[in-house]
Amino acid sequence: MRSKLIKVEKMEIVSQLAASISHEIRNPLTVVKGFMQLLKTPDLSNELRDKYIHIALEELDRARLIIDDYLTFAKPAPQKIEKILVDQELRKVIDMVRPMANMNSVRISENVVTGCIIGSTQHFHQCFLNLLKNSIEAMPNGGELNITSFIDKDKVVIKIQDNGIGMTREQISRFGEPYFSTKETGTGLGTMVALKMIQTMNGTLDIDSAVNKGTTLTITFPWSNE
Ligand code: ADP
Ligand code: MG
């Protein structure tokens, strides 16, 4: 009975996520449509025309950022629950963010060990992509990004450590809250999506952060040793 209950809850998390994605993408599209219609106004001044185009382009960028946070790895097929080799899949995500790290003078060091967990590989990728992107963005003047994983009793532990701007107590408490962002063009959705995905894999996330010192995220999953 208990496992059935948990399954239903997880399905809900996934369908809630799908619902919020369409909502999030529809909003900017509606704004773009509105401004495109305004562009048809007869005798529109150059100034207003430029302004409308600027807003429409900004909203399209926003839609793209939202898709990046939710759907980078989305496939049409339903989520497959499978064995995830943590070291192998983490390395794939690290390779994806390497160009972004290089551009920001962020040095990546990794020390990940073999460990197996159960979940959707697609979710795993999206989750760690969002978290690693945030760490790199927290170091606008460069820094060190350290990714480690190890096995502790019956858990697989993953640590993401940056020496970036860090978070205040309030920011820590709002981590994962939808739309909470301290960035000029942030969506405030990346951490929410990551947390939901960790939740569906029965994991936990712990934050240790200090302003101007950096942030360490500790993500823990049940170890599958079958
Ligand atoms: P976004 O990146 O679009 O702002 P997120 O949901 O990914 O939205 O992150 C929400 C907020 O959490 C960020 O704006 C930032 O304030 C904070 N945050 C997340 N990760 C870190 C980090 N590693 N260092 C400092 N702040 C962070
Ligand atoms: Mg983000």
Side-chain angles (χ1 to χ4, degrees), residues 38-53:
L38 279 176
L39 280 175
K40 289 199 293 194
T41 314
D43 305 323
L44 190 67
S45 71
N46 281 347
E47 198 186 328
L48 276 181
R49 193 196 57 196
D50 287 351
K51 186 175 160 197
Y52 296 162
I53 292 175

PDB file of all heavy atoms in Angstrom, residues 38-53:
ATOM      1  N   LEU A  38       0.742  45.009 -31.753  1.00  0.00           N
ATOM      2  CA  LEU A  38       0.943  46.460 -31.604  1.00  0.00           C
ATOM      3  C   LEU A  38       1.803  47.020 -32.737  1.00  0.00           C
ATOM      4  O   LEU A  38       1.645  48.171 -33.147  1.00  0.00           O
ATOM      5  CB  LEU A  38       1.619  46.768 -30.265  1.00  0.00           C
ATOM      6  CG  LEU A  38       0.710  46.792 -29.043  1.00  0.00           C
ATOM      7  CD1 LEU A  38       1.536  47.023 -27.790  1.00  0.00           C
ATOM      8  CD2 LEU A  38      -0.353  47.878 -29.176  1.00  0.00           C
ATOM      9  N   LEU A  39       2.696  46.170 -33.250  1.00  0.00           N
ATOM     10  CA  LEU A  39       3.574  46.625 -34.341  1.00  0.00           C
ATOM     11  C   LEU A  39       2.777  46.970 -35.604  1.00  0.00           C
ATOM     12  O   LEU A  39       3.271  47.660 -36.484  1.00  0.00           O
ATOM     13  CB  LEU A  39       4.600  45.542 -34.679  1.00  0.00           C
ATOM     14  CG  LEU A  39       5.821  45.432 -33.763  1.00  0.00           C
ATOM     15  CD1 LEU A  39       6.683  44.241 -34.166  1.00  0.00           C
ATOM     16  CD2 LEU A  39       6.654  46.709 -33.797  1.00  0.00           C
ATOM     17  N   LYS A  40       1.543  46.461 -35.666  1.00  0.00           N
ATOM     18  CA  LYS A  40       0.709  46.734 -36.852  1.00  0.00           C
ATOM     19  C   LYS A  40       0.047  48.122 -36.775  1.00  0.00           C
ATOM     20  O   LYS A  40      -0.575  48.560 -37.719  1.00  0.00           O
ATOM     21  CB  LYS A  40      -0.371  45.656 -36.985  1.00  0.00           C
ATOM     22  CG  LYS A  40       0.205  44.312 -37.416  1.00  0.00           C
ATOM     23  CD  LYS A  40      -0.860  43.391 -37.981  1.00  0.00           C
ATOM     24  CE  LYS A  40      -1.850  42.963 -36.914  1.00  0.00           C
ATOM     25  NZ  LYS A  40      -2.689  41.836 -37.304  1.00  0.00           N
ATOM     26  N   THR A  41       0.172  48.787 -35.615  1.00  0.00           N
ATOM     27  CA  THR A  41      -0.444  50.108 -35.442  1.00  0.00           C
ATOM     28  C   THR A  41       0.022  51.049 -36.565  1.00  0.00           C
ATOM     29  O   THR A  41       1.229  51.170 -36.795  1.00  0.00           O
ATOM     30  CB  THR A  41      -0.015  50.715 -34.079  1.00  0.00           C
ATOM     31  OG1 THR A  41      -0.134  49.717 -33.086  1.00  0.00           O
ATOM     32  CG2 THR A  41      -0.831  51.942 -33.735  1.00  0.00           C
ATOM     33  N   PRO A  42      -0.931  51.695 -37.269  1.00  0.00           N
ATOM     34  CA  PRO A  42      -0.511  52.607 -38.332  1.00  0.00           C
ATOM     35  C   PRO A  42       0.265  53.800 -37.753  1.00  0.00           C
ATOM     36  O   PRO A  42       0.011  54.224 -36.626  1.00  0.00           O
ATOM     37  CB  PRO A  42      -1.838  53.079 -38.960  1.00  0.00           C
ATOM     38  CG  PRO A  42      -2.915  52.283 -38.326  1.00  0.00           C
ATOM     39  CD  PRO A  42      -2.382  51.626 -37.101  1.00  0.00           C
ATOM     40  N   ASP A  43       1.171  54.338 -38.519  1.00  0.00           N
ATOM     41  CA  ASP A  43       1.983  55.515 -38.147  1.00  0.00           C
ATOM     42  C   ASP A  43       2.691  55.352 -36.803  1.00  0.00           C
ATOM     43  O   ASP A  43       2.817  56.307 -36.035  1.00  0.00           O
ATOM     44  CB  ASP A  43       1.108  56.790 -38.084  1.00  0.00           C
ATOM     45  CG  ASP A  43       0.364  57.029 -39.382  1.00  0.00           C
ATOM     46  OD1 ASP A  43       0.970  56.743 -40.437  1.00  0.00           O
ATOM     47  OD2 ASP A  43      -0.809  57.450 -39.335  1.00  0.00           O
ATOM     48  N   LEU A  44       3.141  54.147 -36.532  1.00  0.00           N
ATOM     49  CA  LEU A  44       3.860  53.901 -35.278  1.00  0.00           C
ATOM     50  C   LEU A  44       5.226  54.602 -35.334  1.00  0.00           C
ATOM     51  O   LEU A  44       5.914  54.524 -36.356  1.00  0.00           O
ATOM     52  CB  LEU A  44       4.058  52.382 -35.141  1.00  0.00           C
ATOM     53  CG  LEU A  44       4.573  51.855 -33.822  1.00  0.00           C
ATOM     54  CD1 LEU A  44       3.549  52.064 -32.730  1.00  0.00           C
ATOM     55  CD2 LEU A  44       4.868  50.355 -33.954  1.00  0.00           C
ATOM     56  N   SER A  45       5.579  55.293 -34.265  1.00  0.00           N
ATOM     57  CA  SER A  45       6.882  55.983 -34.289  1.00  0.00           C
ATOM     58  C   SER A  45       8.006  54.952 -34.269  1.00  0.00           C
ATOM     59  O   SER A  45       7.829  53.833 -33.773  1.00  0.00           O
ATOM     60  CB  SER A  45       7.000  56.902 -33.080  1.00  0.00           C
ATOM     61  OG  SER A  45       7.154  56.120 -31.915  1.00  0.00           O
ATOM     62  N   ASN A  46       9.155  55.339 -34.788  1.00  0.00           N
ATOM     63  CA  ASN A  46      10.316  54.441 -34.770  1.00  0.00           C
ATOM     64  C   ASN A  46      10.673  54.036 -33.357  1.00  0.00           C
ATOM     65  O   ASN A  46      11.051  52.901 -33.092  1.00  0.00           O
ATOM     66  CB  ASN A  46      11.530  55.149 -35.396  1.00  0.00           C
ATOM     67  CG  ASN A  46      11.435  55.128 -36.899  1.00  0.00           C
ATOM     68  OD1 ASN A  46      10.616  54.398 -37.469  1.00  0.00           O
ATOM     69  ND2 ASN A  46      12.243  55.956 -37.547  1.00  0.00           N
ATOM     70  N   GLU A  47      10.527  54.994 -32.461  1.00  0.00           N
ATOM     71  CA  GLU A  47      10.897  54.759 -31.068  1.00  0.00           C
ATOM     72  C   GLU A  47      10.054  53.633 -30.458  1.00  0.00           C
ATOM     73  O   GLU A  47      10.566  52.703 -29.843  1.00  0.00           O
ATOM     74  CB  GLU A  47      10.676  56.060 -30.297  1.00  0.00           C
ATOM     75  CG  GLU A  47      11.392  56.121 -28.974  1.00  0.00           C
ATOM     76  CD  GLU A  47      10.977  57.389 -28.228  1.00  0.00           C
ATOM     77  OE1 GLU A  47      10.694  58.407 -28.902  1.00  0.00           O
ATOM     78  OE2 GLU A  47      10.899  57.333 -27.006  1.00  0.00           O
ATOM     79  N   LEU A  48       8.708  53.745 -30.692  1.00  0.00           N
ATOM     80  CA  LEU A  48       7.824  52.717 -30.143  1.00  0.00           C
ATOM     81  C   LEU A  48       8.060  51.376 -30.819  1.00  0.00           C
ATOM     82  O   LEU A  48       8.054  50.325 -30.173  1.00  0.00           O
ATOM     83  CB  LEU A  48       6.361  53.130 -30.308  1.00  0.00           C
ATOM     84  CG  LEU A  48       5.818  54.046 -29.209  1.00  0.00           C
ATOM     85  CD1 LEU A  48       4.357  54.370 -29.477  1.00  0.00           C
ATOM     86  CD2 LEU A  48       5.957  53.379 -27.831  1.00  0.00           C
ATOM     87  N   ARG A  49       8.293  51.429 -32.146  1.00  0.00           N
ATOM     88  CA  ARG A  49       8.523  50.172 -32.856  1.00  0.00           C
ATOM     89  C   ARG A  49       9.738  49.458 -32.256  1.00  0.00           C
ATOM     90  O   ARG A  49       9.700  48.276 -31.948  1.00  0.00           O
ATOM     91  CB  ARG A  49       8.756  50.452 -34.346  1.00  0.00           C
ATOM     92  CG  ARG A  49       8.699  49.178 -35.189  1.00  0.00           C
ATOM     93  CD  ARG A  49       9.296  49.390 -36.538  1.00  0.00           C
ATOM     94  NE  ARG A  49      10.684  49.850 -36.379  1.00  0.00           N
ATOM     95  CZ  ARG A  49      11.390  50.414 -37.337  1.00  0.00           C
ATOM     96  NH1 ARG A  49      10.847  50.624 -38.521  1.00  0.00           N
ATOM     97  NH2 ARG A  49      12.631  50.786 -37.115  1.00  0.00           N
ATOM     98  N   ASP A  50      10.818  50.216 -32.041  1.00  0.00           N
ATOM     99  CA  ASP A  50      12.032  49.611 -31.466  1.00  0.00           C
ATOM    100  C   ASP A  50      11.762  49.051 -30.079  1.00  0.00           C
ATOM    101  O   ASP A  50      12.250  47.988 -29.713  1.00  0.00           O
ATOM    102  CB  ASP A  50      13.152  50.646 -31.392  1.00  0.00           C
ATOM    103  CG  ASP A  50      13.705  50.946 -32.773  1.00  0.00           C
ATOM    104  OD1 ASP A  50      13.323  50.223 -33.723  1.00  0.00           O
ATOM    105  OD2 ASP A  50      14.494  51.900 -32.907  1.00  0.00           O
ATOM    106  N   LYS A  51      10.961  49.797 -29.320  1.00  0.00           N
ATOM    107  CA  LYS A  51      10.647  49.352 -27.956  1.00  0.00           C
ATOM    108  C   LYS A  51       9.874  48.024 -27.979  1.00  0.00           C
ATOM    109  O   LYS A  51      10.195  47.087 -27.241  1.00  0.00           O
ATOM    110  CB  LYS A  51       9.823  50.439 -27.261  1.00  0.00           C
ATOM    111  CG  LYS A  51       9.557  50.173 -25.810  1.00  0.00           C
ATOM    112  CD  LYS A  51       8.852  51.336 -25.162  1.00  0.00           C
ATOM    113  CE  LYS A  51       8.162  50.895 -23.898  1.00  0.00           C
ATOM    114  NZ  LYS A  51       7.165  51.868 -23.451  1.00  0.00           N
ATOM    115  N   TYR A  52       8.861  47.948 -28.871  1.00  0.00           N
ATOM    116  CA  TYR A  52       8.051  46.709 -28.940  1.00  0.00           C
ATOM    117  C   TYR A  52       8.910  45.525 -29.379  1.00  0.00           C
ATOM    118  O   TYR A  52       8.788  44.421 -28.842  1.00  0.00           O
ATOM    119  CB  TYR A  52       6.875  46.897 -29.912  1.00  0.00           C
ATOM    120  CG  TYR A  52       5.879  47.941 -29.471  1.00  0.00           C
ATOM    121  CD1 TYR A  52       4.971  48.495 -30.387  1.00  0.00           C
ATOM    122  CD2 TYR A  52       5.821  48.390 -28.151  1.00  0.00           C
ATOM    123  CE1 TYR A  52       4.049  49.454 -29.986  1.00  0.00           C
ATOM    124  CE2 TYR A  52       4.916  49.349 -27.750  1.00  0.00           C
ATOM    125  CZ  TYR A  52       4.033  49.882 -28.664  1.00  0.00           C
ATOM    126  OH  TYR A  52       3.132  50.832 -28.283  1.00  0.00           O
ATOM    127  N   ILE A  53       9.767  45.771 -30.356  1.00  0.00           N
ATOM    128  CA  ILE A  53      10.621  44.673 -30.836  1.00  0.00           C
ATOM    129  C   ILE A  53      11.551  44.222 -29.702  1.00  0.00           C
ATOM    130  O   ILE A  53      11.744  43.027 -29.477  1.00  0.00           O
ATOM    131  CB  ILE A  53      11.429  45.109 -32.082  1.00  0.00           C
ATOM    132  CG1 ILE A  53      10.470  45.304 -33.261  1.00  0.00           C
ATOM    133  CG2 ILE A  53      12.506  44.086 -32.430  1.00  0.00           C
ATOM    134  CD1 ILE A  53      11.102  45.848 -34.512  1.00  0.00           C
TER     135      ILE A  53
END
